[in-house]
Structure formats: structure tokens, C-alpha cells
Amino acid sequence: MNRLLTLLLLCIFLENAVSQQKPNFIIMLMDDMGWGDLGVYGEPSKETPNLDWMASQGMLLPDFYSANPLCSPSRAALMSGRLPIRNGFYTTNDHARNAYTPQDIMGGIPSNEILLPENLQKLGYRSKIIGKWHLGQQPQYHPLVHGFDEWFGAPNCHFGPFDNKRTPNIPVYRDTDMIGRYYEDYLIDHKTGESNLTQIFIREATTFIEKQAAQKQPFFLYWAVDATHEPVYASRDFLGSSQRGLYGDAVRELDYGVGQILQKVKDLGLVNNTMTIFSSDNGGATYAKEMGGNNGPFLCGKETTYEGGMREPTIAFWPGKIPAGTVSHQLGSLMDLYTTFTTLAGGSIPTDRVVDGIDLTQALFKQTIIDRPIFYYRGDELMAARWQQYKAHFWTWTNSQDEFDKGVNFCPGEEIDGVTTHEQVNNTAEPLLFHLGKDPGEKYMIKSTSVEYKGVMPQILKIVAEHRSQLVKGEPQLNMCDSSVMNWAPPGCEKINKCLPVPKSNPSKCVWVH
Amino acid sequence: MNRLLTLLLLCIFLENAVSQQKPNFIIMLMDDMGWGDLGVYGEPSKETPNLDWMASQGMLLPDFYSANPLCSPSRAALMSGRLPIRNGFYTTNDHARNAYTPQDIMGGIPSNEILLPENLQKLGYRSKIIGKWHLGQQPQYHPLVHGFDEWFGAPNCHFGPFDNKRTPNIPVYRDTDMIGRYYEDYLIDHKTGESNLTQIFIREATTFIEKQAAQKQPFFLYWAVDATHEPVYASRDFLGSSQRGLYGDAVRELDYGVGQILQKVKDLGLVNNTMTIFSSDNGGATYAKEMGGNNGPFLCGKETTYEGGMREPTIAFWPGKIPAGTVSHQLGSLMDLYTTFTTLAGGSIPTDRVVDGIDLTQALFKQTIIDRPIFYYRGDELMAARWQQYKAHFWTWTNSQDEFDKGVNFCPGEEIDGVTTHEQVNNTAEPLLFHLGKDPGEKYMIKSTSVEYKGVMPQILKIVAEHRSQLVKGEPQLNMCDSSVMNWAPPGCEKINKCLPVPKSNPSKCVWVH
């Protein structure tokens, strides 16, 4: 009996010890930041010393992708480990249209999707999202309903100011309750670009890490900051500090924030037990001109399925586990963080559905390469697929000629005959093929009569056929809009006297122009 | 008397000690390599570990320029410290035409130009050029007539094979005598891209350094390798080793060579007394498509005065002197190496002429910034000027519509209205203005009605007026061609039975199409 008790106590001790060793996870997800925006990824001003240092002590992943060229679907995929076409973050209103979650969207992340923080919550983790959620602004879609324990930030983009009559200002939440609104309590000065939001987001992060360290509870921090998304902003200390203007000021402040967070992790003795990933939700917004990100040598940007739209500036950092100063050409996806983190935490991946994210552990720790494709969706259409160095475009489209003629340009200064098309061109009968190693800018089509094309294309078509055969499309979430679901009277509004009258419901199909 | 003798001996001793401490200089000048071809400058394949290491232990210079977008004028400027318009490496046959030294050129580096190795020779240095000279193939223009003590390489590009009837194959020299010809004795296989030339150039370099170390004589090594210039080549061990195809194979082998040379310098104990500069002669040859270099986020490439044509991938390396892991945004030019090296060697700069190169010592050692402009010439025309972050285009031109229609494209996939023009457009009445920090791709013109434009343009115009007022144009060297001056019977041909009959002289104006 005594021996049994000893054994039992030993088991409890060991379980605790193991649970204490569960790694912490930090995802630093930038908003509209481009592949080429970091010094280490070739930005000429070289103004990201903290990120460059992070890369020098970690692993650079130059072939890492978002799951979509637009924010909401990309983030929904990151959280669910599944392509937007599966988790419902797309529209069928029109073919191959980018859709997201403006505040009149009716949909959001479906309750049957099992998000990364839900997996981690079951395993004893505490998770916090700081910044932009973007998976639905209605309460049933909020972070704390889907596995997060804490939230500081907003459900939508920091657009505005609005008049609070036809359109309410976007609320800022602490956990389940709103605590203010953008442009009322959380200011962004459009004229000067000044806002102290990034500083607040940094403080929220370091405070959360301190608290978790004190409580010895493993954590997942999702740092979803948005200073590089229009309206671009920076705090006073950073304004005018960059060679790149306001956009560069924002990058510099975010880089500073990365340094602050990594330093906090180190100071608290968590550095050997914390995996940090830096990346972005989609390519730089080239249509924003000087106020948009730099996509390096890649074609076009955000909204498109060319490399500029989905190749992300990614760094993985875990001293002692991920070898320092390495580069991995593993084809990676933000969705892989779902599988990798869940696995590292000791959890299991749902088996009742297809999960697109793969476990990157071996690629990160052992520098092995896992053979896997990348799928480039736009709305309901598979536009392109990458296999090894080859990328096949089944459909090409930038935006409509109409919109382009009005000055909206996703590929400013770039025109590639038959590639950057202003009509939706169906190339499925003879997909366009590019070698991204030799031709990162997708400029030089491989002739369909060539031996190379004939060797490669059947491989890609086979992978795509397999993909399609397993595809169960989710119920599209981004079809219907209704001004009554806007942020008129969010939870907690009554406590701070910020409730606005809710208009009559008037649902209609959302209009997605590109 | 005894005291005087002691003093004299002390002086001799000190002079010897100082002379022994004279630094060695290495210029590693690539051929048609683009700003974005190095990992550290954002090339996605990240296949330049030695150069990336060199940058991590030295200084990155992202705002460093060649003096011309084409090889011969760029190299003549590097050697003379003076713009091609001064040293004669331009043509007046037609306005704003790029000219160089094909083997029927009659001109070459004028005898009254004082080249860097001439300065160094007077100061006790031994200088060697390995690779491409390109300042004239006639004997009076050869390196050993202009200050070099040794030469292994060729006077012209490694084009060919020729028939030795209408056109002779290019000779390869050892010092004053030819020792063989390309495609006869020094092979390049166009089909496979195989050639062991880079390996020979590496061996020549390390052997020279060894010899100089043994002799304790300061040296200047000009490593002018050309594997990234068409026809691009690599040796068997490197063929197929890159993600980027043959071009990447060539880059990888050159990177390997950089590693070998730096290692040799270190092994011989010279590392703290040797300054090494890595750069390129002009931008990547975008017209060569996948076989051309990567110019990063910059517009167009070789042959043009957009940033892609003249911004060079530059690294400065001198452990103990140049602080490790630093970045300098000093506007630099290859011409500055003339002044910097001459000064560091204890020499003086000619005062009877304008020397454009400035002494970069303070920028390199102390990280100060010296305010100076960059001038972008094409042939006889000042196309553009940069001052701080601003660049003004006085003339714009890519190439003629005719040539473009035939498929010669210096800006593939890139078209910027009013900027990448196919006519020579004179903008001097209202120069186009760009902010290269916010807009490295020269896509977004600053409106001439803006406060910014009105503040900046007078500054630039003042600098340009000053420049013009001091300009004494050199006698143009690149106007006349004659097939009789080709490499038919170079010095030493008789020793190896490689002399070919010289045709009758028939001089005529050279034709320069772009």
C-alpha cells in the first residue's frame, strides 16, 4: 500500500514535470506585410535589426505561404489548420472572388471548426489573442468562444472613423466585453499617422507572458498586430524614424516590439521552452503604393495568387531546438502551425476531417524536407498549385479591367502577358507553368511543348486531382451581409455607455468586386 | 654624428615598419551580377553562405553604385576613379548610347589616365588582375602597361566560339603574352554550361596571395571573374547544384571562391591587414531572362539608368577596422575604391583633374555619412542624379521600340508609364522625381506641384549645375571600330602558334543600338 502510494505520488510528480515542460507558443502575425519587408529578406533600408537577429538565431523559411491572399480567410486557415474552402471562409457569390469579414458580414468561424487554441486549452494551455481577430464580429464567433482565454483587440480592421449612424466605429475588446472604440478611445490620426496602438499591443504581450511565467502555465500568444495595414500607423517615437516613410515607421515599431517580446521571454527564463514564429497574413498591399509592403522579387501582391500575394516573411525561433542561422526551403503554410503546435503540445489532430496543415517538426528541428504541395485559392477557385519548384496556374486574374481603369492596381508597374490578366482566364486545359527557383517573378512561362513541362505537369495534375477528390467544401460564410449585424451594441457596451441603436435586419448578398 | 646616424637608422626602420603595415586590397568584381543575387540581399534561394558570412563579419552597403550600367565604362571608372564621360569610355556616335569594348574597338584606356594600380605601384604594391580587363584589347591598353604587375585573363568578354576567319577567338593572357584562346584552350560548353574557368581564377588568386605573403609585399588583387556574364558557366562540381539553374550554379561557385580567398587571407595571417570589397560591374542582365541576375526590388537592369542597372551588391570586409555586422547607407560608387585605396596606401590623388571617387574611410571605419550625389550616365548623357533619398531623371529610355519589338527587353514584366519609355524622352524641363526609400522600384513619381518636389528639385539642379560646370569631357574612346584591331595576332601568339592573319584596316563608326 505504501509502495502504491509512492508510485501514485511519483506519477503525479512526473505528470506535473511533463506538463511544466510543455512548450510555449508565440505567433507574431503581421498584417499585409510583404516577403521583402525585412532586412533579412532584402529590404534595402535594412531597418529590422531585431527580426534580422531573430533569423540569425533561428531559421529562415523563404518558401512559407499563407493559405490565402486575403486577411480573414488566411487567419481562419491559420486557426483551423484547414483551407478556407473547407472552413467556409469564402464566397460563392461570384467566381474566384476574394471575400473577408467587414463588419456587416453575417458569417464567421463555424462552431464545428476546432481551432488551435481549443486543442491547446484541453492540454492545459492558456491562450491570448492580441490585436485583430477577423473571424467574425458577431459574439458567437468571438475568440473566447473558440478556445482563447484572453483577448485584447478588435474583431475587424481598424478602418474609420465612422459616423456611428450609418456605420459604427469598430469596438476594442478586453476578453468578452468591449472596452472602447477606435477613433473614440483608441486613436489613429490619419493626417500624421500617429497611434500608440502598437505600444499597447507590446505591453499586452509582455504582461501576459509575465503572468504565465509566474503561474508556470504553458501559453499560446497570438500577437496579431496591424500597424502595416491601412491606415498605417506608428507611435510618436517612431514617426519619421524610417527611410521608408510612415510604412517603414510602422515596420520599425513592430520590429522593436518583436525585440521586446523576445527579450521578455529570455528574461523570464523561458527561451529554451518557447517556440516563436514570425510571419504575415498575406502579401504586401501593392495597390497602396508607397504605403504598401515590399514583396521582394515576387509578382504582384495581396488579393492575388501570384507569389507576391501569398509568400510570407517567415522566421522560426526556438534556441536549443531549431538550429541557429539556418535556412529551410521546406514548403510551409501558416496552416502547419496548427498541426505542429498541437503535436508539440502533446495533443492530437482531428481525424474526422481533412486538416491541411502538416507537422513541421522534422523540417524545423532536423532540417529534413517534407514533400507537399501548396494550393493557391481565391474564393471558391483553385487558381494555382506549387509542387517543389514548379507552380502551375489553372486560372489567372489580377482584377477587372473596369476596376483597373479606375486606378486599383494589384500589380503596379508589372505586366506579364497572359499572366497578369484583367479577365478571369481559364488555363485548366493547358496550365501555365513556372520554375520559381529560376524565375521567382513568374515572368518566363515554360513552354507546354517542352520536355520539362511534359514531365512536370502530370505530377501536378495528379496532386490536384487527389486534392479535389478529398475536398468537402464548407458552408460558405462570406456570402451574406446585413448592416444590423454591425458593431452597434457589442457585449459590454452598456457598461461604458457605448451602445448604439441597432437598425432593422436587411440581409443581402455581399458584393465582392475582386 | 653618432646621434644623427642613430636617427637616420631609426627613420629607415620606421619607414620599413610602416611600409610593411600597408594594407592589402582585394576587389572581387562580379560580372552582370544583380543587387538581389546574394542571400544577404534577399535572393530567395539563399545560396551564398560565404558572402552572407562576409557581410555578417563586415559591412553591407545597400546604396552602392557602379559608375555606369555597362561593363567597360564601369570598369574604366573603377580603375581611374573618374566617370566614363571624363576618362573617355563613352561614344558620341549617337545620343545616350551604351558602348563598350568589343574586340573590334579601336579605343581603350587613355595613357594619360592614372589608374589605381599605377598609384599603388609607386607605393610599393604588387598588383594582379585575374579575369576580364575590358579596357581595350590592343597592347597599348593592356593591364601591365597601366600599373598591373600580373595578369591572368582576357581583354574581352568570353563570347564565342568564333571561326578564326571573320572573327578570332578571344585570347587568354598570362602577363604580357597570350597563352591560349577561349574555346580552344579554355573551354566553355554552351550546351551544358560547363567550364572550369572559375576554378582557375580561384587558384590564380590564392597562389598570388600566397606569393605576396611569402614576400611580405603589400598587394592589390583585382578578381574580375565573369561566370555570371553570358555565356554563364560553372564547373562540373557546381553544375545542377543550385535551385536557380545554371545562373545559380555560377553564383554558388563564385561564392565558394570568395570563401576560398578569404580563408587563404586568414590562413596566411593577413586578415587584419587586408581590405576586401565585393561588388559587381553593373546590374543583372534582365534581358537574359532566367539566365540573368536578380535586381531585387529595383527597376529594370543592365544597360539602363534605373536602379536595377547600377545598384550593386556590395560588401566591405576588414576585420578589426570595419565594424562587423554593420550596414551603411552611404551613397557609394565603385570609383570611390580608387580614392579610398590610394589614400589608405599612403598615396595622393591626382590634383590636375577631377577625380569623382571619394575617400570612404570614415564611412567604413566610423559609420559616418558623407553627403555626395550619384550621377547616372548613359553614353554622353547625364540621365539621372541621386541626392540623399531622391532621384531625378532628366532623360528616360529603356531601348528603342524597334529593338523592343524584336524581343530585346531590359525591363521584362515591368512597365511604368512615362518612366520605362521606348523613346528617348527629355524631361530636363521638369525632371521626374522619386523617393528611393519609400519607393525603391521607381514606380511612384512625386508630383511636380508638391511641396516636396519644390523643396528637393532646386537642390538637385544645383548639384547638377556644379557638376556640369566642372566637366571636361574626355576624348571619346568608343566611337571607332576596325576589324583589323581584333585579337588576330596578340603578343606571344607566335610562341604558341596561335597567330592569325591580320586583315586590312577598315575603320568605321561603331554601331551602338541601345
Side-chain angles (χ1 to χ4, degrees), chain B residues 159-425:
Chain B
F159 294 139
F162 300 116
D163 59 5
N164 279 343
K165 283 169 190 155
R166 274 172 315 175
T167 309
N169 274 320
I170 303 295
V172 173
Y173 283 79
R174 165 121 12 237
D175 304 332
T176 51
D177 282 2
M178 79 173 278
I179 54 170
R181 291 185 189 270
Y182 282 137
Y183 303 96
E184 298 171 22
D185 313 284
Y186 296 91
L187 305 181
I188 302 165
D189 185 325
H190 284 312
K191 223 181 248 172
T192 64
E194 185 179 341
S195 172
N196 65 348
L197 276 166
T198 298
Q199 291 300 321
I200 298 174
F201 293 148
I202 296 169
R203 208 160 47 235
E204 286 286 329
T206 53
T207 306
F208 173 68
I209 297 168
E210 275 170 4
K211 198 186 62 184
Q212 290 309 111
Q215 294 176 356
K216 296 194 194 309
Q217 183 188 18
F219 67 83
F220 165 43
L221 169 61
Y222 178 30
W223 198 55
V225 289
D226 57 6
T228 45
H229 187 292
E230 57 171 343
V232 172
Y233 61 79
S235 65
R236 193 171 301 174
D237 283 354
F238 286 87
L239 283 179
S241 71
S242 165
Q243 296 176 47
R244 302 178 65 193
L246 179 56
Y247 185 89
D249 297 340
V251 172
R252 287 199 68 239
E253 187 164 16
L254 293 166
D255 176 75
Y256 165 82
V258 168
Q260 292 292 302
I261 292 170
L262 294 183
Q263 187 62 46
K264 181 58 71 183
V265 168
K266 192 181 165 206
D267 290 348
L268 296 170
L270 302 176
V271 69
N272 291 316
N273 199 34
T274 302
M275 179 162 170
T276 306
I277 299 279
F278 179 94
S279 197
S280 180
D281 65 343
N282 46 242
T286 39
Y287 57 80
K289 300 181 179 170
E290 305 96 313
M291 214 57 93
N294 174 333
N295 296 319
F298 300 118
L299 186 61
C300 305
K302 180 180 176 182
E303 305 271 5
T304 77
T305 47
Y306 308 104
E307 290 299 287
M310 290 174 57
R311 188 92 75 114
E312 305 306 332
T314 307
I315 302 171
F317 178 85
W318 188 354
K321 283 277 190 177
I322 296 173
T326 49
V327 176
S328 171
H329 291 288
Q330 173 65 48
L331 302 197
S333 165
L334 284 173
M335 296 183 291
D336 300 343
L337 304 183
Y338 179 92
T339 305
T340 307
F341 288 176
T342 300
T343 308
L344 280 168
S348 52
I349 305 304
T351 51
D352 62 342
R353 63 196 73 196
V354 172
V355 171
D356 296 283
I358 65 170
D359 179 3
L360 289 181
T361 315
Q362 293 302 303
L364 295 171
F365 298 169
K366 304 289 177 203
Q367 294 186 268
T368 56
I369 292 284
I370 306 153
D371 193 25
R372 70 90 69 91
I374 295 292
F375 298 111
Y376 305 70
Y377 271 88
R378 182 162 172 168
D380 56 349
E381 187 58 77
L382 178 67
M383 305 288 284
R386 177 176 177 181
W387 171 68
Q388 295 183 359
Q389 289 285 5
Y390 293 97
K391 180 173 178 183
H393 288 268
F394 307 108
W395 285 83
T396 54
W397 194 39
T398 57
N399 59 349
S400 71
Q401 190 65 48
D402 251 25
E403 198 184 44
F404 180 73
D405 291 343
K406 283 177 196 146
V408 181
N409 191 349
F410 295 155
C411 314
E414 296 172 326
E415 293 220 9
I416 320 244
D417 257 10
V419 183
T420 54
T421 60
H422 288 297
E423 314 83 50
Q424 293 191 358
V425 179

Side-chain angles (χ1 to χ4, degrees), chain A residues 35 39-47 60 62-63 243-246 286-290 294 296-299 311 327 329 386 389 411-416 435-440 443-446, chain B residues 35 39-47 60 62-63 243-246 286-290 294 296-299 311 327 329 386 389 411-416 435-440 443-446:
Chain A
W35 189 93
V40 74
Y41 278 113
E43 202 288 316
S45 301
K46 299 274 173 191
E47 292 178 339
L60 210 61
D63 297 76
Q243 295 176 50
R244 303 178 64 193
L246 180 56
T286 38
Y287 57 79
K289 301 181 178 171
E290 305 96 312
N294 175 333
F298 301 119
L299 186 61
R311 189 89 78 112
V327 176
H329 291 288
R386 176 176 176 180
Q389 290 285 8
C411 314
E414 297 173 324
E415 292 219 13
I416 318 240
H435 186 287
L436 296 178
K438 295 178 192 173
D439 174 24
K443 289 181 181 174
Y444 311 112
M445 279 182 219
I446 296 168
Chain B
W35 188 94
V40 75
Y41 278 113
E43 203 289 315
S45 301
K46 300 273 173 192
E47 292 178 339
L60 209 62
D63 296 75
Q243 296 176 47
R244 302 178 65 193
L246 179 56
T286 39
Y287 57 80
K289 300 181 179 170
E290 305 96 313
N294 174 333
F298 300 118
L299 186 61
R311 188 92 75 114
V327 176
H329 291 288
R386 177 176 177 181
Q389 289 285 5
C411 314
E414 296 172 326
E415 293 220 9
I416 320 244
H435 186 287
L436 296 177
K438 296 179 190 173
D439 174 23
K443 289 180 180 174
Y444 311 113
M445 278 182 220
I446 296 168

Side-chain angles (χ1 to χ4, degrees), chain A residues 460-502:
Chain A
I460 296 182
L461 294 178
K462 193 176 148 220
I463 289 164
V464 168
E466 268 173 38
H467 170 67
R468 287 194 204 277
S469 74
Q470 290 174 31
L471 185 60
V472 180
K473 290 187 183 180
E475 185 67 23
Q477 296 294 316
L478 309 180
N479 279 355
M480 297 299 291
C481 288
D482 183 350
S483 64
S484 77
V485 304
M486 285 180 168
N487 297 291
W488 302 106
C493 67
E494 66 290 350
K495 295 182 200 162
I496 54 169
N497 202 23
K498 288 272 181 184
C499 303
L500 298 165
V502 181

Side-chain angles (χ1 to χ4, degrees), chain A residues 107-395:
Chain A
I109 190 73
S111 60
N112 59 353
E113 288 297 320
I114 304 166
L115 302 197
L116 173 57
E118 288 180 78
N119 290 343
L120 297 177
Q121 202 167 45
K122 284 189 209 132
L123 298 162
Y125 278 72
R126 189 168 178 86
S127 299
K128 176 164 188 160
I129 165 173
I130 296 168
K132 185 158 116 181
W133 174 235
H134 233 200
L135 304 196
Q137 82 292 350
Q138 296 196 72
Q140 66 271 31
Y141 302 126
H142 281 187
L144 270 62
V145 182
H146 291 270
F148 279 101
D149 301 288
E150 300 181 29
W151 181 22
F152 177 83
N156 308 89
C157 287
H158 53 287
F159 294 140
F162 299 117
D163 60 4
N164 277 342
K165 284 169 188 155
R166 277 172 313 176
T167 309
N169 274 320
I170 303 294
V172 174
Y173 282 79
R174 163 121 13 239
D175 303 332
T176 51
D177 283 2
M178 80 173 277
I179 53 170
R181 289 186 191 270
Y182 281 137
Y183 302 96
E184 298 171 22
D185 313 284
Y186 296 91
L187 305 182
I188 302 165
D189 185 326
H190 284 311
K191 223 179 250 170
T192 64
E194 184 178 342
S195 173
N196 65 347
L197 276 166
T198 297
Q199 291 300 320
I200 297 174
F201 293 148
I202 294 169
R203 209 160 47 236
E204 286 286 329
T206 54
T207 306
F208 173 69
I209 296 167
E210 275 170 6
K211 198 185 65 184
Q212 289 309 113
Q215 293 178 356
K216 297 195 193 305
Q217 184 187 16
F219 67 83
F220 164 43
L221 169 61
Y222 178 32
W223 198 56
V225 289
D226 55 7
T228 46
H229 187 291
E230 58 171 342
V232 172
Y233 61 80
S235 65
R236 194 170 303 173
D237 283 356
F238 286 88
L239 283 179
S241 71
S242 164
Q243 295 176 50
R244 303 178 64 193
L246 180 56
Y247 185 89
D249 297 340
V251 172
R252 288 198 67 237
E253 188 165 13
L254 292 165
D255 176 74
Y256 166 83
V258 168
Q260 292 292 299
I261 292 170
L262 294 182
Q263 187 62 45
K264 181 60 71 182
V265 168
K266 193 182 167 204
D267 289 347
L268 295 169
L270 302 176
V271 69
N272 291 316
N273 199 34
T274 302
M275 178 162 170
T276 305
I277 299 280
F278 179 94
S279 197
S280 180
D281 65 343
N282 45 244
T286 38
Y287 57 79
K289 301 181 178 171
E290 305 96 312
M291 214 58 91
N294 175 333
N295 296 319
F298 301 119
L299 186 61
C300 304
K302 180 179 174 180
E303 305 271 6
T304 77
T305 48
Y306 308 104
E307 290 299 286
M310 290 173 58
R311 189 89 78 112
E312 306 305 334
T314 307
I315 303 170
F317 178 84
W318 187 353
K321 283 277 190 177
I322 296 172
T326 48
V327 176
S328 170
H329 291 288
Q330 173 66 46
L331 302 197
S333 165
L334 285 173
M335 298 184 292
D336 300 341
L337 304 183
Y338 180 93
T339 304
T340 306
F341 288 176
T342 301
T343 308
L344 280 169
S348 52
I349 304 305
T351 51
D352 63 342
R353 63 195 72 196
V354 173
V355 170
D356 297 282
I358 64 169
D359 180 2
L360 290 181
T361 316
Q362 292 304 304
L364 295 171
F365 299 168
K366 305 287 176 204
Q367 295 186 264
T368 56
I369 293 283
I370 306 154
D371 194 24
R372 68 91 71 91
I374 295 292
F375 298 111
Y376 305 68
Y377 271 90
R378 183 164 172 167
D380 57 348
E381 187 57 79
L382 178 67
M383 305 286 287
R386 176 176 176 180
W387 171 70
Q388 297 182 359
Q389 290 285 8
Y390 292 97
K391 180 173 177 182
H393 288 269
F394 307 108
W395 285 84

